[in-house]
Each structure stands twice: as C-alpha cells, then as structure tokens.
Amino acid sequence: MLCLGVSGGLDRIYESSPELPNTFLHDAAAVLVRDGRVIAAVEEERLNRVKHSNKFPSSSIRYCLSTAGVSLGEIDRIAFYATEAYCNSMLESLFMSRPNPLDAKLLLRQLLAREFGTEVDAARVFFVNHHEAHAASAFAMSGFEQSLVFAVDGGGDFCSGLLAVGSGTEITQLASFPEHNSLGLFYLETIRYLGYGLFDEYKVMGLAPYGNPAPYRELFAQFYELLDNGGYRIHLDRIGGALIRNIQIRRKGMPFTQQHRDVSASLQEALERIVFHILRHHREVTGITRLCLAGGVAHNCTANGKLLYSGLFDDIFVQPAAHDAGCALGAALMMSNELGRPAPRERLSDVYWGPDLGTEQAVEQELNAWFGHLDIQRSDDIAASAADWMANGAVIGWAQGRSEFGPRALGNRSILADPRPAENKNRINAMVKKREGYRPFAPSVLEEDASQFFELPDGKREFPFMNFVVRVREAHHSVLGAVTHVDGTARLQTVSRKTNPAYWDVINAFKKRTGIPVLLNTSFNNNAEPIVESVSDAIVAFLTTDLDGLVVGPFLVKKRTATLEDWCTLSVSLPPYASLHRIRSYTAEDRQETVCEIRMGHSGRDSMRISHELFDLLMRIEGDASLGRLLDTAMFDQAKREDLVKELRLAWEQRMVRLHPTRAACLRIDAQGAA
C-alpha cells in the first residue's frame, strides 16, 4: 500500500498568496510510505528554495513518485495535514470576496490534476487532524509499545496541541489545548518585543543562556497560570503591554541589551515550567514512563534536554522533523495504519530520505560546467582529504548521498569545521551565516566516543538528530571551544558508522589527526536560503560565501579567481518566486523618486533595491539568458559591465536572481565526457 502525506499551501510557487495567519500553511513537504515504511521524504523549501515554503509541494511529490517509480494514479491514499473543515474555514476567511466559497478537497484535486495530469478520485483524498498527524509521526517512529505523546505548536485545526497515550498501533487522546493557550504563540508573542518573528524562536532559545530569568520572573508569572490536573492558562493579551512598560523594545537589527537576554531567559524558564507541569501530572496519573514529542515546540532542544536529565521519563523520543513538515509524515503513516499496514515497531535511526546527489559522473559534470569558477580534484580517500583541510583550519561545505528530512543538517548537507578554536564560531557566523554572533553551533561526535566528551544520562548513547541540548564535560569546555555554549552545553548529534558511514569516516579521520572525534556541524546554506539540496545548490552556496573548500561526493573543490569573461559565460534568470518592480517612492522626507526593486514573494517585505540599468537588463530576460549576450545588447562599456556584474552578484548572494552555467556549456561538458 502506498500512502502520500502532504503539508503546505494550496497554490503554486509563482502565484500570489494573500497574507496568511501565522499558524496556517507553511513548511510544505511530501512523504511517501509503502506498507508503513518511508520510501522518500523532502521539504518543498529544499527544492523551490523558499524558506518555510507555504506553497503546494509539487516538486516534493514529484520526487517521491520518482523515487518509488510510480505515478500519482498508483497511490492508494493522499492525505493533507489538516482537517477539511479547518481548511475550508481558512479559505473562506482568506477569500471572503468570492461569490462562491472555495472547497479544500476540490482545490487539492484540481492542483494535483494540473501538476500531474491525473484526475484523482475524491475517495482517495483525505484530510487528517493536524495534531493527530504530529502525534502519529512521533509515536509510530519511536519503537515504543506504549508511551505518552505530547504534540504542541502554535496552532492548527482550531487548537494548539494534544496529549495522548500511544499503545500498539493506536493513539488515544487524553487532553487538548485550545489556541488561546498556545505555548507556541506564547513564545512567538514574546519574541516580537525582542526583534524577532515567526520561525525565529530557536534564535531566542540560543540567546536565553546569556540571561538571568530572575529579574523578570514575577513579570512572566502574570502571563500564565498553572492549574490543577496538569492544566494551565496563557494570558496572551497581557504580554505586549507589560513588556512595553518594563523593557526597551528591541527592533530588528538593534543591539541586544542585558534586558533582552534576561527576557529570553525568563521566557525559556516559563515555557519549561509549563511543559514540566503538564507532563509531570500525566506521568503520575498514567504511570507511563516513555514520552514522544512532536510539534514546533518540540524543537526547543533546551527544554528537551532538561526533560532528559530530569529522570521523569525512562526514554524520550523526539520526532526529528517535529515542525509542520513532519505532519506530512504523520498523515502518510495514519493512512497506512488505517489500511492495515502500520509502521514497524522499531526506533527511527536516520532520516536520509531526500534526493541523492546523483552518480559520480553526474556530479563531476555539474562541477565542470562551472569552469573558470572552480578548481576540481578527485580524491581516492575523501574523508582523509577533508579531515586534512579541517585540521589545517579550513571551513568546508560537505555534501554526500541523500539529504536529511527536517530542519537539521545531519552530515549530508553540512558545513564542517574544527570544533576546538572558539574563534571558529565567530568566523563562521561572519563568513557564511551573516547571523547573530551569540548563536551556537552543534557538535557531531562518533557515537562510541560521545560519553567521553558529553554528560549523557545512564544508558543513553544515541542522539542522532540534534534534538537534545546536553552538558559538555567540564574538562572539555575549552577543548570544544567552538561548539560549547556559554552555559557549558551543546546541541548534540551522535554519528553511527552503520547509519552514515561517509560522515563517520570523516569524523574518524579528523580524530586520527587531532585526537578529537568531534566536528563542528551547521547547516550548509547562507542566511538567505534553505539548506542546500542539489550539487548546483552546493556550488552556489560555496561561491557566494567565504567557505574555504567544498567536498561533493569524492571531489575536492576550491575557488578560482573568475574574470569578467568567466561571469559573462553564465546564464541569468529570475527565480519563480521573484518579481521586478519599478515604483514611485519617498527616498527622503520631502523627495520622491522612481526606484527599482527585486521582490521575493509579492508583499514587498523581502526586497532589494537595484539600479535602473540592472532593472532594464533583467527585464529583457525571457527564461534563461546569457549574461554576456544581455550586456552586449545593452552596449555598456567595460566599467559599466563590471559594475553591473558586481551588483548582479550581490543580488545572487541574496538569491534574488539565479546565475548558472549556460545550456551550451553543459552540453559541451556532456560531449567531452562522452568522448
């Protein structure tokens, strides 16, 4: 039985969406399950290159079908990650002006028909409860025969979470949490006053250890109540006014004060108090000693670590794609279970379910197409070569095999570096991520050596998904300077030789050279894009950051100093999510000018000002166009050509435009390979 789970939006990448509620339609993904086992899974953002994509996951579905070698018509059930009633309600509120209300099931079937040329029988299309999908995604993958299941996020299906008992193949709800008591919205509402917004919650979790919760503990006590029987109440309406009266509100880009750090610490403490209050009660009432976690709040690795050390539960499983993309997994597993094909009762060991890089020949051809920009060398021992680079101070991009499902780079689409020099943290934040300097990086450690460097609870040695913040042994704080956070903790990934031999090999090779079986691991992307997926994505990320080297498959890659002629050999195009705008705008209090912009999406909130010359150049593009030919057509002199290429490269760094080898160059490389 083949079951396809889907999350995300109900329009296509190039279509304009109205403003959506914060808790509706994001993290698009597709997951294909055969008889309870995952065959393929990928988030749409990895393919369409839009962070937290709220579009229909057409490319993700296409990948899943291709991997299984089936057509859409061969899928037994297709399940969307929210109830039909909820989707219809949201559509009605979004499109109130339409004379006839939209029907979610009809809209979904129409989208599938347009994208795949196949009429899908309505009897094969299902909608599932959002939080039940979260819960199923965790319990079915945990390997537990019985556990408590806590699924909690910002909101969906008119509530913000549930607590249930999983037993055998069934999940029985014990409690649900209304949206006005949303722990996700509690966190989100607070961080608005720290200069952050939706999807930035993890940044504040990283800031919290720099603060002291005591100064604002009493203030935060006004925002929630702990009730009998594990109940609680959130007062979202009190947060804004109280914070405005008591702290200096931080706007995006402003420096952090100790006030902001202390508020972060108070928020984290409040969240943990509520979570422990809920779980302690249900642990005592049910006597169940195992716990599954899912939903966006389950990505709070600090709280997960506190639960781990508390001893409240004998074992805890956190579904690694705990956010809404994981609902696609849960939806597919729910359908498979209904059809009598439940997931096997075994612990999830890896999530390398995404697209493969391709054959060695295909990787080499892709790299060679960037002649003039890359210097490429094949290594017979890629782990040793990469370890040599890092031991000598290099920060590298590392891409191997199938990509990871979920928000963490787990060794197949990673940036890697020596974990020892504390300055590596600031260096990588500046050279690649362009992000806040306080934010920590994660360590990847050989599974067999983990307890030597990290304080692990008794009997626990496998932490493959970066779901828990654990304590670094004090003797190793200075040794692991780049991955030990200010409070002596780290968000740990243990690496098994069985599940990822290529990644294990490179860490082991680094150990042989340095005595340290640990690497700094962070996601392979810059601040403007999702984690890289393809060889092309990896090359682009490499060329638009200050990474020292790139390792793709068996190839070692370094940058060449490209000439203007080298840049002119590339094609330029607009991504499907980008649009060009020439508008009249104020540039000073008493002055209006005509300005040009590239916008991501259609709201104008994510935009980049460009020159009139570059605007006119981009307006000439139809599909892909040779940059050199465009410049020739415009008849610019050498100095202007150089200026425009420089400006175009800045837009490329922000992923507002695409630069890539021309089709002619790729065909030439193919022909050389064939010869």
Side-chain angles (χ1 to χ4, degrees):
M1 291 290 185
L2 288 167
C3 297
L4 180 70
V6 175
S7 63
L10 292 171
D11 62 342
R12 289 174 286 185
I13 180 68
Y14 55 85
E15 293 175 338
S16 175
S17 296
E19 292 298 310
L20 297 169
N22 282 340
T23 56
F24 186 59
L25 300 183
H26 51 74
D27 296 325
V31 178
L32 186 61
V33 168
R34 175 184 282 130
D35 296 338
R37 290 188 180 275
V38 177
I39 297 172
V42 67
E43 291 191 61
E44 188 72 6
E45 68 166 25
R46 297 280 195 111
L47 305 176
N48 71 14
R49 312 308 297 156
V50 179
K51 284 184 175 182
H52 300 284
S53 175
N54 64 351
K55 298 297 183 177
F56 188 66
S58 304
S59 298
S60 299
I61 295 172
R62 202 165 280 114
Y63 158 69
C64 289
L65 297 175
S66 174
T67 301
V70 298
S71 67
L72 190 66
E74 295 173 84
I75 302 298
D76 295 288
R77 287 193 178 181
I78 301 168
F80 194 69
Y81 75 138
T83 61
E84 196 169 356
Y86 182 72
C87 292
N88 283 335
S89 175
M90 290 296 103
L91 288 170
E92 184 178 343
S93 66
L94 291 170
F95 300 99
M96 292 177 62
S97 60
R98 283 179 178 257
N100 298 311
L102 291 171
D103 175 81
K105 179 175 275 194
L106 179 60
L107 187 58
L108 180 56
R109 292 176 61 222
Q110 288 173 342
L111 264 172
L112 290 168
R114 284 201 300 267
E115 291 293 310
F116 298 94
T118 302
E119 292 292 334
V120 179
D121 187 346
R124 292 193 292 127
V125 176
F126 292 79
F127 291 75
V128 301
N129 180 278
H130 182 83
H131 293 100
E132 289 178 10
H134 272 312
S137 75
F139 181 60
M141 298 279 99
S142 68
F144 297 148
E145 284 295 333
Q146 185 183 58
S147 78
L148 284 176
V149 186
F150 190 38
V152 58
D153 59 12
D157 274 324
F158 310 110
C159 69
S160 64
L162 61 80
L163 194 135
V165 171
S167 183
T169 60
E170 301 303 317
I171 297 175
T172 305
Q173 184 172 306
L174 298 179
S176 65
F177 310 106
E179 262 192 354
H180 62 259
N181 274 349
S182 168
L183 295 183
L185 292 184
F186 173 43
Y187 218 89
L188 181 59
E189 178 64 17
T190 304
I191 69 175
R192 286 177 51 212
Y193 301 93
L194 300 175
Y196 287 120
L198 184 64
F199 309 126
D200 291 332
E201 294 88 344
Y202 67 99
K203 299 177 183 179
V204 177
M205 181 185 73
L207 181 63
Y210 290 89
N212 176 6
Y216 296 104
R217 186 172 288 137
E218 290 187 13
L219 181 68
F220 270 77
Q222 301 172 27
F223 303 159
Y224 67 95
E225 300 173 60
L226 302 181
L227 308 176
D228 293 338
N229 301 318
Y232 69 96
R233 182 176 295 122
I234 301 290
H235 300 288
L236 294 173
D237 58 329
R238 297 179 183 177
I239 296 172
L243 290 177
I244 288 170
R245 290 190 298 271
N246 285 277
I247 69 167
Q248 179 187 5
I249 303 305
R250 178 182 177 269
R251 305 299 177 195
K252 187 175 181 179
M254 289 174 57
F256 291 97
T257 67
Q258 192 57 43
Q259 273 190 338
H260 303 137
R261 300 182 186 100
D262 292 345
V263 167
S264 300
S266 297
L267 172 61
Q268 181 66 29
E269 180 184 74
L271 176 76
E272 291 168 7
R273 283 197 68 201
I274 298 168
V275 167
F276 269 84
H277 175 71
I278 297 166
L279 293 176
R280 189 177 289 113
H281 168 77
H282 289 282
R283 162 69 179 85
E284 292 171 357
V285 168
T286 64
I288 296 174
T289 61
R290 289 177 172 81
L291 174 67
C292 291
L293 296 172
V297 175
H299 279 314
N300 193 301
C301 306
T302 300
N304 297 345
K306 299 278 181 65
L307 282 168
L308 185 73
Y309 285 117
S310 73
L312 189 59
F313 295 93
D314 294 342
D315 200 358
I316 302 172
F317 175 75
V318 183
Q319 201 271 95
H323 57 310
D324 277 4
C327 283
L329 171 62
L333 291 170
M334 288 171 72
M335 293 295 100
S336 192
N337 191 42
E338 283 188 16
L339 292 171
R341 302 289 195 276
R345 212 43 44 179
E346 57 191 38
R347 186 68 160 248
L348 182 68
S349 60
D350 72 81
V351 287
Y352 303 112
W353 298 331
D356 192 273
L357 289 178
T359 65
E360 182 178 322
Q361 181 184 20
V363 171
E364 186 173 21
Q365 287 177 348
E366 184 83 34
L367 292 167
N368 285 336
W370 290 84
F371 61 88
H373 299 265
L374 301 177
D375 182 64
I376 305 150
Q377 178 184 348
R378 192 189 184 285
S379 172
D380 291 329
D381 189 346
I382 198 65
S385 300
D388 283 339
W389 272 4
M390 290 183 285
N392 289 315
V395 178
I396 67 171
W398 171 267
Q400 304 289 332
R402 294 181 72 174
S403 63
E404 313 89 334
F405 182 62
R408 313 288 189 207
L410 299 173
N412 280 12
R413 302 290 188 276
S414 293
I415 289 171
L416 305 178
D418 189 335
R420 295 172 298 172
E423 61 268 21
N424 266 1
K425 185 173 78 167
N426 293 333
R427 182 176 170 225
I428 297 169
N429 274 329
M431 73 191 289
V432 183
K433 297 294 192 171
K434 307 291 191 291
R435 67 183 200 175
E436 302 89 344
Y438 70 80
R439 285 166 55 190
F441 291 110
S444 293
V445 60
L446 298 182
E447 184 178 276
E448 50 269 46
D449 293 324
S451 61
Q452 178 186 345
F453 290 84
F454 304 94
E455 295 180 19
L456 306 181
D458 290 342
K460 305 292 189 301
R461 62 190 296 266
E462 298 176 10
F463 297 89
F465 302 123
M466 289 189 193
N467 282 330
F468 296 93
V469 165
V470 303
R471 294 190 285 265
V472 181
R473 292 195 181 277
E474 191 168 356
H476 295 295
H477 283 192
S478 58
V479 176
L480 300 178
V483 295
T484 301
H485 204 22
V486 66
D487 60 351
T489 66
R491 179 164 49 85
L492 180 64
Q493 179 197 10
T494 58
V495 179
S496 162
R497 190 174 196 172
K498 180 180 178 181
T499 58
N500 196 334
Y503 194 33
W504 189 95
D505 283 345
V506 75
I507 301 173
N508 191 51
F510 185 80
K511 176 185 177 181
K512 289 177 181 177
R513 285 152 180 76
T514 65
I516 304 297
V518 184
L519 287 177
L520 179 156
N521 175 15
T522 188
S523 57
F524 191 175
N525 61 320
N526 73 2
N527 63 318
E529 66 178 342
I531 301 174
V532 303
E533 179 57 57
S534 64
V535 176
S536 176
D537 296 335
I539 294 168
V540 169
F542 178 53
L543 289 174
T544 54
T545 60
D546 293 325
L547 285 171
D548 300 308
L550 171 65
V551 179
V552 187
F555 297 101
L556 300 165
V557 185
K558 289 192 172 182
K559 299 183 181 87
R560 288 181 174 173
T561 302
T563 65
L564 176 62
E565 287 69 29
D566 291 325
W567 288 106
C568 287
T569 64
L570 299 178
S571 283
V572 59
S573 61
L574 286 177
Y577 53 75
S579 55
L580 296 170
H581 299 263
R582 179 176 271 153
I583 58 174
R584 196 72 178 161
S585 178
Y586 277 96
T587 56
E589 185 175 351
D590 57 350
R591 183 179 178 183
Q592 274 194 343
E593 288 185 74
T594 300
V595 297
C596 299
E597 294 179 343
I598 309 176
R599 294 181 183 174
M600 291 179 65
H602 301 271
S603 67
R605 287 182 299 181
D606 295 315
S607 62
M608 179 180 185
R609 288 275 174 93
I610 59 174
S611 66
H612 289 273
E613 292 87 351
L614 181 57
F615 180 90
D616 291 337
L617 192 79
L618 296 176
M619 283 293 288
R620 293 192 182 97
I621 296 173
E622 293 185 8
D624 288 344
S626 162
L627 177 56
R629 191 169 301 149
L630 286 170
L631 291 170
D632 289 342
T633 302
M635 294 187 293
F636 292 121
D637 62 25
Q638 183 76 3
K640 176 55 70 175
R641 290 165 73 98
E642 290 176 353
D643 287 344
L644 279 173
V645 169
K646 184 177 181 180
E647 186 182 6
L648 192 63
R649 289 174 62 185
L650 290 174
W652 187 41
E653 287 179 14
Q654 294 303 307
R655 305 300 184 259
M656 297 285 186
V657 299
R658 294 180 67 233
L659 290 176
H660 51 97
T662 61
R663 179 171 172 78
C666 295
L667 290 173
R668 184 166 70 251
I669 296 296
D670 287 345
Q672 290 171 353

